[in-house]
């Protein structure tokens, strides 16, 4: 266990018993197997407490509000700095830039972190050492409790502050080492993936976990929580209790990588501080003769935390394996320790970057309705190819020019006249096609002349390559002997 952590009381029984009084007086909350069994048989709910970091939470937590991303006014200095770095600009409806584009490429003032983390243009900033350093420096300048040069953690706290996942503390504290409650972590994940909208409270969920400002968001992820309402394991005590790192990883894996967890083999990975404990609930008779007792999951987790050498429940262990494969944890998981705020953001960002529920896209700016380039329909054909050729009349039989007139390429003149008839939109399409051709086939436009003057357009080869000879016999009527030996162009 990390030196930053200290062990505190593990079990609290809501019913006042001699066991609790004794354990609290002795400063040790570890309860024997037989005592746990007796408590669950009595129908006592328990609160699970875990090792927490030595941390002094600072400031006063702000209200938990929910506003569209482009309308947020919290952390104004941080927001302005990040907008400048990310080249985000104001619009009539909010803002536009890499954080304000939805999966369809349209401008979205009500965007979410989940969508933004699928925009490769935003990921470039996160992955660039120079850009991420700028973003981190802006965060460190905004909060008083971030250590200097702690680039990665500052970046995660900046994401939390900009996207308003969980409220900061006033006047300017991020509290990166403060621990999260289970309902708090659930709310954070929900707010990271859900656009701001009117929500309806789930009264059944509130009855199970008690009243909390987090309920309206946490209820959306109840099905992904390891502790569930069905077994009464997610209740007023546990929902407001500190969540373990293992539970947080389980929630993310079950939410975004459920197929991976369903097919994982527990023999495919090893950890330095975790192993598969199997069906602990049945072994400890929290499930007996196939009957699940009330609160059995919270008792199972309690036993695992108190006896880490015996391993953790198989479902939690499977989640660790998937989390390791995604790079969320390594060989050391610290699965039984409390989850801190900065760790929660780190887990969330790494998970959202890899989940496949949204296809990755690439957009620096979102399209704004009414400002798109309209698709132009193909112009209706008013002339056949034969008509156009007749109009060009490459034989010059119907053209009479004076001695002082340029007797040049009348066919090119005719084509130029046809181009002049095109609309601006049609000309734009031709220009765009030419630009694409220049990007895809730069060799067509290469200047390979040996002189110093600009080379002519080196277009693609068309037709049969020239051998220097005329293709076929050319017969001319009349007497042209006076031009014998002349060069023909």
């Amino acid at each position: 266990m990390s030196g930053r952590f200290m062990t505190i009381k593990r079990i609290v029984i809501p019913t006042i018993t001699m066991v609790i009084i004794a354990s609290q007086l002795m400063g040790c909350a570890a309860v024997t197997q037989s005592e746990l069994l007796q408590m669950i048989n009595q129908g006592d709910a328990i609160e699970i407490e875990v090792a927490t970091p030595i941390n002094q939470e600072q400031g006063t937590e702000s209200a938990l509000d929910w506003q569209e991303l482009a309308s947020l006014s919290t952390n104004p200095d941080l927001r302005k700095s990040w907008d400048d770095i990310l080249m985000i600009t104001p619009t009539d409806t909010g803002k536009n830039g890499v954080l304000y584009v939805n999966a369809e490429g349209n401008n979205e003032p009500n965007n979410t972190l989940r969508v933004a983390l699928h925009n490769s243009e935003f990921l470039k900033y996160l992955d660039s050492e120079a850009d991420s350093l700028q973003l981190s420096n802006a965060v460190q300048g905004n909060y008083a409790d971030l250590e200097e040069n702690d680039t990665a953690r500052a970046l995660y706290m900046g994401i939390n502050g900009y996207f308003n996942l969980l409220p900061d503390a006033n006047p300017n504290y991020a509290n990166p080492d403060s621990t999260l409650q289970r309902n708090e972590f659930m709310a954070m994940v929900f707010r990271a993936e859900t656009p701001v909208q009117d929500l309806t409270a789930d009264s059944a969920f509130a009855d199970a976990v008690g009243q909390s400002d987090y309920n309206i968001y946490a209820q959306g992820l109840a099905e992904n929580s390891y502790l569930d309402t069905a077994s009464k394991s997610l209740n007023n005590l546990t929902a407001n209790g500190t969540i373990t790192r293992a539970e947080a990883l389980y929630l993310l894996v079950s939410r975004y990588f459920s197929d991976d967890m369903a097919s994982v083999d527990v023999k495919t990975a090893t950890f330095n501080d975790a192993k598969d404990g199997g069906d602990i609930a049945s072994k400890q008779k929290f499930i007996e003769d196939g009957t699940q007792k009330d609160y059995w999951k919270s008792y199972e987790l309690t036993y695992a935390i108190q006896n880490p050498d015996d391993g953790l429940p198989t479902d939690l262990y499977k989640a660790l394996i998937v989390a390791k494969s995604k790079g969320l944890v390594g060989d050391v998981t610290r699965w039984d320790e409390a989850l801190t705020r900065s760790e929660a953001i780190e887990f969330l960002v790494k998970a959202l970057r890899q989940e496949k529920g949204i296809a990755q896209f690439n957009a620096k700016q979102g399209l704004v309705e009414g400002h798109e380039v309209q698709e132009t329909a193909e112009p209706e054909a008013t002339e056949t190819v034969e008509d156009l050729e007749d109009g060009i009349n490459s034989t010059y039989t119907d053209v009479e020019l004076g001695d002082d007139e340029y007797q040049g390429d009348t066919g090119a003149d005719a084509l130029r006249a046809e181009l002049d008839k095109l609309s601006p939109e049609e000309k734009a399409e031709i220009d765009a096609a030419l630009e694409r051709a220049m990007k895809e086939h730069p060799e067509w436009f290469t200047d390979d002349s040996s002189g110093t003057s600009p080379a002519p357009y080196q277009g693609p080869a068309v037709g049969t390559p020239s051998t220097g000879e005329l293709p076929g016999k050319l017969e001319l009527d009349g007497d042209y002997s006076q031009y014998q030996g002349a060069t023909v162009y």
Side-chain angles (χ1 to χ4, degrees):
M1 185 174 295
S2 170
R4 295 189 302 111
F5 286 74
M6 60 180 292
T7 302
I8 61 176
K9 61 187 178 68
R10 299 291 185 120
I11 300 291
V12 175
I13 310 299
T15 304
I16 297 182
T17 66
M18 291 303 293
V19 173
I20 287 303
I21 295 174
S23 65
Q24 289 178 339
L25 289 175
M26 292 185 296
C28 175
V31 183
T32 66
Q33 176 183 356
S34 61
E35 288 170 338
L36 283 175
L37 184 57
Q38 180 183 355
M39 293 171 187
I40 195 172
N41 286 339
Q42 292 174 175
D44 291 336
I46 61 174
E47 177 182 1
I48 307 166
E49 295 194 13
V50 300
T52 58
I54 302 172
N55 171 62
Q56 181 65 46
E57 190 163 319
Q58 303 181 74
T60 303
E61 188 171 88
S62 305
L64 182 66
D65 63 347
W66 204 30
Q67 296 183 37
E68 289 191 5
L69 183 62
S71 301
L72 287 169
S73 57
T74 54
N75 296 307
D77 292 339
L78 169 64
R79 211 167 289 283
K80 182 180 185 305
S81 295
W82 274 36
D83 286 350
D84 290 342
I85 296 169
L86 299 173
M87 294 187 289
I88 290 170
T89 57
T91 67
D92 293 340
T93 56
K95 295 181 179 181
N96 202 346
V98 294
L99 300 183
Y100 297 89
V101 188
N102 64 23
E104 288 72 41
N106 297 317
N107 176 228
E108 179 54 81
N110 191 17
N111 211 27
T112 66
L113 175 62
R114 181 190 179 200
V115 174
L117 287 173
H118 287 77
N119 185 351
S120 59
E121 286 296 333
F122 176 44
L123 299 184
K124 289 178 183 178
Y125 286 95
L126 298 183
D127 295 336
S128 164
E129 183 176 352
D131 292 333
S132 62
L133 181 59
Q134 284 193 70
L135 293 170
S136 295
N137 288 340
V139 178
Q140 291 171 349
N142 187 73
Y143 297 111
D145 56 348
L146 291 177
E147 298 177 5
E148 189 177 355
N149 299 325
D150 194 354
T151 303
R153 194 159 67 149
L155 191 59
Y156 291 130
M157 299 318 297
I159 289 174
N160 178 72
Y162 192 97
F163 282 88
N164 191 36
L165 304 181
L166 291 176
D168 292 321
N170 292 321
N172 57 339
Y173 296 105
N175 286 312
D177 291 325
S178 65
T179 58
L180 296 187
Q181 300 171 175
R182 291 179 179 87
N183 54 9
E184 194 175 5
F185 180 70
M186 294 163 69
M188 185 196 76
V189 176
F190 180 86
R191 287 158 66 97
E193 67 171 37
T194 309
V196 174
Q197 58 192 269
D198 291 331
L199 300 174
T200 302
D202 183 343
S203 58
F205 183 79
D207 290 341
V209 303
Q211 296 300 319
S212 170
D213 290 341
Y214 296 112
N215 283 356
I216 196 71
Y217 314 109
Q219 65 188 24
L221 273 80
E223 64 181 3
N224 302 110
S225 171
Y226 178 71
L227 298 182
D228 57 4
T229 56
S231 70
K232 300 182 181 179
S233 294
L234 187 65
N235 51 56
N236 185 43
L237 294 173
T238 56
N240 294 283
T242 304
I243 188 172
T244 61
R245 285 166 55 91
E247 292 174 84
L249 292 170
Y250 176 91
L251 186 145
L252 294 173
V253 168
S254 65
R255 184 74 171 176
Y256 302 117
F257 311 109
S258 57
D259 291 342
D260 294 315
M261 189 161 68
S263 60
V264 73
D265 183 354
V266 296
K267 299 178 181 179
T268 59
T270 58
F271 299 94
N272 294 344
D273 62 347
K275 70 176 184 179
D276 178 20
D279 186 1
I280 295 175
S282 294
K283 294 176 184 177
Q284 300 303 318
K285 297 184 179 180
F286 305 144
I287 297 177
E288 194 169 11
D289 298 328
T291 301
Q292 298 176 345
K293 301 176 182 179
D294 287 348
Y295 315 113
W296 71 269
K297 272 197 171 184
S298 53
Y299 273 84
E300 180 184 50
L301 182 57
T302 296
Y303 179 89
I305 291 173
Q306 291 188 130
N307 303 275
D309 291 342
D310 292 344
L312 66 163
T314 297
D315 285 346
L316 288 178
Y317 188 74
K318 287 182 176 180
L320 291 184
I321 295 175
V322 178
K324 181 179 180 180
S325 71
K326 305 297 181 182
L328 276 64
V329 293
D331 291 333
V332 177
T333 67
R334 299 177 15 241
W335 66 269
D336 55 341
E337 294 179 5
L339 178 74
T340 67
R341 181 175 290 220
S342 63
E343 291 170 345
I345 303 296
E346 178 182 1
F347 285 169
L348 177 62
V349 169
K350 289 182 177 179
L352 290 178
R353 288 190 61 163
Q354 298 178 72
E355 67 97 10
K356 305 299 183 185
I358 299 175
Q360 191 172 36
F361 61 96
N362 189 320
K364 293 182 179 180
Q365 294 278 324
L367 298 177
V368 179
E369 185 177 357
H371 295 275
E372 301 91 339
V373 176
Q374 299 295 327
E375 293 292 336
T376 304
E378 291 293 330
E380 295 183 7
T382 57
E383 293 180 304
T384 65
V385 173
E386 291 78 7
D387 293 335
L388 185 59
E389 288 178 346
D390 290 343
I392 294 175
N393 188 18
S394 59
T395 59
Y396 309 106
T397 55
D398 60 348
V399 178
E400 294 183 4
L401 298 175
D403 294 338
D404 58 345
E405 292 184 298
Y406 169 65
Q407 303 183 35
D409 190 348
T410 308
D413 293 339
L415 284 174
R416 188 175 297 107
E418 291 296 324
L419 289 174
D420 289 341
K421 297 178 182 179
L422 297 178
S423 67
E425 290 81 6
E426 292 168 332
K427 290 181 180 180
E429 287 188 359
I430 294 174
D431 290 340
L434 179 59
E435 184 176 353
R436 288 196 300 271
M438 293 177 69
K439 290 181 179 178
E440 295 174 4
H441 300 284
E443 69 276 6
W444 292 355
F445 302 87
T446 301
D447 181 358
D448 59 358
S449 64
S450 58
T452 58
S453 60
Y457 166 74
Q458 302 293 321
V462 179
T464 305
S466 174
T467 62
E469 298 180 357
L470 291 174
K473 185 176 181 181
L474 180 64
E475 295 183 359
L476 301 174
D477 295 332
D479 182 7
Y480 298 96
S481 58
Q482 59 178 319
Y483 300 109
Q484 187 172 359
T487 301
V488 180
Y489 293 94

